[in-house]
């Protein structure tokens, strides 16, 4: 970026500035802190300048939007051509209640749906299972069968919306239900657009809604890759998630490193299953968190894009440019929200929204101000959506591509995060890959250490959280929070009982037995799951068959 003569002159002028202006100011007015750090605890220098980016080769490290290495974005025109998908995460209680919320969001301008499932659904249990007691419909919508999915998307044309589903271990079953609903709407599967999270490795690392051991879980994932490449070509078959890794307490560099290491494991598994990298890699997508340190977060997104492009090109020899272009969804940081002075969360979410947009996200969910307390109310969801719309239409940051490019700080921080993330990936490679690193507890230990230091800074007051450990006020107990009626569980049980009386139970048992045989063999199980779903086999019955064949994952104790 700079020739040696100009760089030498700059260093001389900087030294003169430090000796004269800077030292004189510091002698009169010391800085507020001895050390400034990012949200991840990395030291921030007083001043960034040409010497911090002297390494930078514009064509190879930055380039242009829409071409390798994609540092500046995956589309040549980015938001000048099309805004990101405004995808609001929603789902609670019954399919009927959630359907009302989805229609409300579409009316308010949401351009994509994002389905939150309740915990029993996420771990493959029907609402009448003893372990589901007290959890039905609490943190998402209860989906027990194709009938629930039909109600969930009633009146919502699936060829007109893009749908994301936060589902992992039973992802194949929920995707099959979605395909079956589309068929009933006379929408062919090749027209469906959306994403299933389908990222089981981060469940073992940070979240815990796993069912099956690693090997059969990876088989299910690669079966979905293969099936969708032939039948649902517009569907993003996995959303490799750093979001939950960051929520568990990781740094920005760890979020990138561990997430891309998981991505490498999925690519390896697909290639081992006989798939060509360029047949499935274009439909891989990623899911990142957006925290409060705006400039670090922007740099993180740019670093992830550049690093993934290099991995796909250099490690896997990908030829299709789409295989190298990291596309990602962003959600604002749930763990950054405070129960104290919840209106402050509106400001936090606005900063995080700006970071995601300046970082080049493809879709975005903005958290609501009251989510530290309960599921969000309609008013709170509307404010969260309006935050995206204001950034899109009023802030001006969407008018030019990658507007912070060339900033000494941004470029230096992008490189720093890329290098640190690559160090983590190399360490995980040395351990034998992400599944092995999870098994020995390496990734979990790294996240726990980072989470400890972050929390310690808050508790000692070194890190200020406005309204929580500083600038507190006396507050009344919150009012008007959304609460899920406990009767939802009984209602779901009744619906299940009635379904089982109406359906052809002999057909269901036949389809479940066919699925069992497919699981015991080496066939792609997706067609068999789809047939069981169409016969109105329940989520619990289908996952139950796979539990019997595959077994259940037992987590290692991390000390």
């Amino acid at each position: 970026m700079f020739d040696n003569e100009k760089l030498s002159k700059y260093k001389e002028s900087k030294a003169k500035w430090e000796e004269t202006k800077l030292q004189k100011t510091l002698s009169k007015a010391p800085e507020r802190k001895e050390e400034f750090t990012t949200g991840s605890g990395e030291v921030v220098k007083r001043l960034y300048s040409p010497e911090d980016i002297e390494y930078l080769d514009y064509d190879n490290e930055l380039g242009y939007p829409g071409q390798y290495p994609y540092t500046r974005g995956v589309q040549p025109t980015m938001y000048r051509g099309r805004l990101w998908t405004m995808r609001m995460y929603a789902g609670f209680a019954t399919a009927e209640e959630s359907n009302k919320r989805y229609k409300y969001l579409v009316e308010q301008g949401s351009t994509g749906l994002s389905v939150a499932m309740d915990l029993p659904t996420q771990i493959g249990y029907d609402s009448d299972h003893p372990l589901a007691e007290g959890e039905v419909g609490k943190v998402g919508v209860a989906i027990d069968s194709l009938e629930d999915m039909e109600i969930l998307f009633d009146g919502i044309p699936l060829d007109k919306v893009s749908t994301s589903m936060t589902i992992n271990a039973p992802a194949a079953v929920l995707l099959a239900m979605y395909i079956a609903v589309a068929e009933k709407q006379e929408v062919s599967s090749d027209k469906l657009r959306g994403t299933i999270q389908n990222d089981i490795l981060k469940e073992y690392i940070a979240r815990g809604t796993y069912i099956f051991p690693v090997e059969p879980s990876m088989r299910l994932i690669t079966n979905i890759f293969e099936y969708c490449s032939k039948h649902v070509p517009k569907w993003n078959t996995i959303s490799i998630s750093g979001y939950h890794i960051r929520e568990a307490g990781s740094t920005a560099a760890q979020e990138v490193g561990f997430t891309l290491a998981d991505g490498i494991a999925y690519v390896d598994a697909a290639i081992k299953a006989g798939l060509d990298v360029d047949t499935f890699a274009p439909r891989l997508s990623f899911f990142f968190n957006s925290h409060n340190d705006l400039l670090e977060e922007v740099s993180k997104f740019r670093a992830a894009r550049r690093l993934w492009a290099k991995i796909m090109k250099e490690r896997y020899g990908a030829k299709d440019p789409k295989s190298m272009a990291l596309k990602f969804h962003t959600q604002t940081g749930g763990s950054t929200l405070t129960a104290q002075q919840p209106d402050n969360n509106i400001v936090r979410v606005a900063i995080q929204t700006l970071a995601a947009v300046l970082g080049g996200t493809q879709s975005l969910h903005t958290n609501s101000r009251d989510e530290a307390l309960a599921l969000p109310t309609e008013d709170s969801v509307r404010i969260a959506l309006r935050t995206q719309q204001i950034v899109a239409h009023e802030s001006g940051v969407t008018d030019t591509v990658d507007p912070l490019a060339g900033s000494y700080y941004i470029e230096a921080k992008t490189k720093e995060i890329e290098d640190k993330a690559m160090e983590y990936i190399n360490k995980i490679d040395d351990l034998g890959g992400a599944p092995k690193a999870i098994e020995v507890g390496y990734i979990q230990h790294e996240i726990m250490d980072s989470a400890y230091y972050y929390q310690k800074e808050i508790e000692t007051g070194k890190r200020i959280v406005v309204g929580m450990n500083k600038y507190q006020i006396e507050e009344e107990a919150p009012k008007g929070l959304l609460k899920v009626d406990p009767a939802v569980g009984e209602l779901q049980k009744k619906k299940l009982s009635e379904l089982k009386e109406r359906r052809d139970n002999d057909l269901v048992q036949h389809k479940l037995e066919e699925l069992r045989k497919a699981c015991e063999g080496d066939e792609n199980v997706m067609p068999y799951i789809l047939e069981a779903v169409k016969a109105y086999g329940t989520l619990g019955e289908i996952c139950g068959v796979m539990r019997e064949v595959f077994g259940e994952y037992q987590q290692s104790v991390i000390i």
Side-chain angles (χ1 to χ4, degrees):
M1 287 284 285
F2 306 96
D3 62 45
N4 289 334
E5 183 179 350
K6 286 184 177 179
L7 201 57
S8 178
K9 287 182 178 179
Y10 164 73
K11 290 178 180 179
E12 288 177 12
S13 66
K14 182 185 176 188
K16 184 177 180 181
W17 169 79
E18 288 176 338
E19 185 180 342
T20 56
K21 294 288 186 182
L22 177 61
Q23 291 305 321
K24 187 182 293 185
T25 298
L26 289 175
S27 66
K28 293 179 180 178
E31 292 177 328
R32 290 181 290 115
K33 296 186 283 187
E34 289 185 11
E35 184 178 72
F36 289 77
T37 58
T38 68
S40 297
E42 300 292 343
V43 174
V44 179
K45 299 193 325 186
R46 176 181 295 112
L47 182 71
Y48 287 79
S49 57
E51 64 182 320
D52 293 292
I53 60 169
E54 59 183 301
Y55 74 90
L56 197 62
D57 179 325
Y58 186 88
D59 287 333
N60 292 322
E61 298 295 325
L62 285 181
Y64 295 94
Q67 70 182 43
Y68 185 89
Y70 300 101
T71 311
R72 305 200 63 187
V74 294
Q75 298 293 342
T77 59
M78 287 302 289
Y79 308 131
R80 286 170 66 100
R82 179 173 174 260
L83 293 171
W84 63 93
T85 301
M86 298 182 190
R87 190 186 296 284
M88 298 303 293
Y89 186 49
F92 64 97
T94 62
E96 289 87 348
E97 286 295 313
S98 293
N99 176 261
K100 292 175 186 175
R101 176 63 64 90
Y102 294 156
K103 287 176 178 175
Y104 172 79
L105 288 170
V106 171
E107 288 169 4
Q108 295 301 316
S110 181
T111 54
L113 300 176
S114 188
V115 183
M117 312 287 181
D118 72 357
L119 282 176
T121 303
Q122 291 183 47
I123 52 177
Y125 290 125
D126 288 335
S127 297
D128 59 0
H129 193 282
L131 292 178
E133 194 69 34
E135 289 293 341
V136 176
K138 282 289 179 68
V139 299
V141 61
I143 300 294
D144 293 319
S145 71
L146 176 58
E147 188 174 79
D148 286 324
M149 195 68 104
E150 291 167 355
I151 295 167
L152 187 66
F153 291 103
D154 179 53
I156 299 172
L158 299 190
D159 56 343
K160 299 290 194 300
V161 298
S162 170
T163 302
S164 172
M165 291 186 278
T166 302
I167 197 70
N168 295 284
V173 185
L174 273 296
L175 175 59
M177 289 181 181
Y178 192 81
I179 292 169
V181 171
E183 285 184 13
K184 287 179 174 288
Q185 290 188 6
E186 298 184 349
V187 176
S188 60
S189 59
D190 63 344
K191 291 184 173 62
L192 297 178
R193 294 179 298 112
T195 306
I196 40 173
Q197 198 163 97
N198 199 28
D199 174 6
I200 202 63
L201 293 178
K202 69 93 174 49
E203 296 296 328
Y204 304 136
I205 292 169
R207 194 160 175 267
T209 61
Y210 44 74
I211 302 175
F212 315 113
V214 176
E215 189 173 337
S217 293
M218 297 298 274
R219 174 190 170 185
L220 287 170
I221 289 167
T222 56
N223 279 182
I224 291 170
F225 288 177
E226 181 184 34
Y227 182 85
C228 288
S229 69
K230 297 174 182 176
H231 303 288
V232 201
K234 295 180 182 178
W235 195 266
N236 295 319
T237 51
I238 193 168
S239 180
I240 305 163
S241 176
Y243 182 85
H244 306 92
I245 289 170
R246 192 66 178 280
E247 289 291 279
S250 80
T251 65
Q254 287 171 340
E255 182 184 358
V256 174
F258 298 154
T259 304
L260 299 197
D262 286 352
I264 287 167
Y266 294 126
V267 173
D268 286 343
I271 291 172
K272 185 179 178 181
L275 301 179
D276 177 78
V277 67
D278 285 322
T279 64
F280 68 86
R283 301 315 302 176
L284 302 180
S285 65
F286 290 80
F287 175 23
F288 290 115
N289 209 310
S290 188
H291 270 221
N292 288 330
D293 192 320
L294 188 146
L295 299 178
E296 182 179 52
E297 295 301 289
V298 172
S299 303
K300 177 190 76 179
F301 298 130
R302 299 170 87 250
R305 252 195 317 268
R306 185 160 73 203
L307 186 50
W308 186 248
K310 291 178 181 178
I311 288 168
M312 294 307 292
K313 183 177 182 178
E314 297 168 10
R315 184 168 181 149
Y316 294 108
K319 301 291 190 297
D320 187 343
K322 293 179 180 178
S323 298
M324 304 175 219
L326 182 148
K327 302 178 293 296
F328 67 97
H329 170 70
T330 308
Q331 182 173 338
T332 56
S335 62
T336 69
L337 304 180
T338 62
Q340 299 89 344
Q341 300 178 40
D343 283 351
N344 293 347
N345 294 328
I346 298 172
V347 182
R348 293 186 179 102
V349 169
I351 292 168
Q352 295 162 9
T353 300
L354 196 58
V357 172
L358 289 168
T361 193
Q362 276 60 68
S363 69
L364 177 62
H365 162 72
T366 35
N367 290 327
S368 299
R369 60 183 172 180
D370 48 5
E371 286 192 61
L373 296 159
L375 291 171
T377 62
E378 281 193 359
D379 284 348
S380 296
V381 168
R382 186 177 63 252
I383 291 170
L385 178 58
R386 292 289 184 260
T387 302
Q388 293 196 51
Q389 292 164 339
I390 289 168
V391 170
H393 300 292
E394 298 184 32
S395 71
V397 300
T398 59
D399 294 347
T400 187
V401 179
D402 193 21
L404 297 185
S407 155
Y408 302 130
Y409 179 69
I410 289 290
E411 299 303 351
K413 182 57 68 176
T414 298
K415 177 66 172 170
E416 178 187 318
I417 293 174
E418 180 187 3
D419 289 346
K420 285 181 180 291
M422 195 65 225
E423 287 176 16
Y424 284 116
I425 291 170
N426 288 336
K427 173 67 175 177
I428 290 167
D429 282 343
D430 291 342
L431 290 170
K436 186 64 178 177
I438 294 165
E439 183 183 328
V440 300
Y442 167 71
I443 296 175
Q444 298 95 309
H445 264 299
E446 290 293 309
I447 295 171
M448 284 191 292
D449 285 346
S450 296
Y452 171 78
Y453 288 119
Y454 184 87
Q455 186 62 27
K456 187 177 179 181
E457 286 188 337
I458 291 174
E459 292 183 9
T460 60
K462 184 178 178 181
R463 183 178 298 277
I464 293 171
V465 180
V466 174
M468 189 177 78
N469 66 354
K470 197 167 184 178
Y471 310 116
Q472 299 101 325
I473 59 172
E474 290 292 327
E475 299 180 81
E476 293 182 5
K479 299 175 182 177
L481 299 176
L482 178 63
K483 294 184 179 180
V484 176
D485 190 336
V488 166
E490 295 306 313
L491 177 60
Q492 282 297 116
K493 289 178 187 178
K494 183 181 178 184
K495 286 167 66 178
L496 264 173
S497 176
E498 292 173 350
L499 170 68
K500 290 176 180 178
E501 289 179 7
R502 291 195 312 269
R503 71 185 186 181
D504 184 336
N505 285 296
D506 289 338
L507 177 63
V508 170
Q509 291 307 312
H510 176 65
K511 295 301 180 184
L512 290 175
E513 189 57 34
E514 288 184 337
L515 172 61
R516 182 187 305 277
K517 290 177 182 176
C519 291
E520 291 170 343
D522 58 6
E523 288 184 83
N524 190 315
V525 299
M526 268 301 295
Y528 296 95
I529 291 173
L530 183 58
E531 287 302 309
V533 161
K534 289 180 180 179
Y536 290 90
T538 69
L539 174 76
E541 289 169 334
I542 294 167
C543 288
V545 167
M546 292 192 284
R547 272 188 168 93
E548 291 171 10
V549 177
F550 297 148
E552 293 189 75
Y553 178 74
Q554 300 298 317
Q555 188 172 37
S556 303
V557 177
I558 307 301
I559 300 174

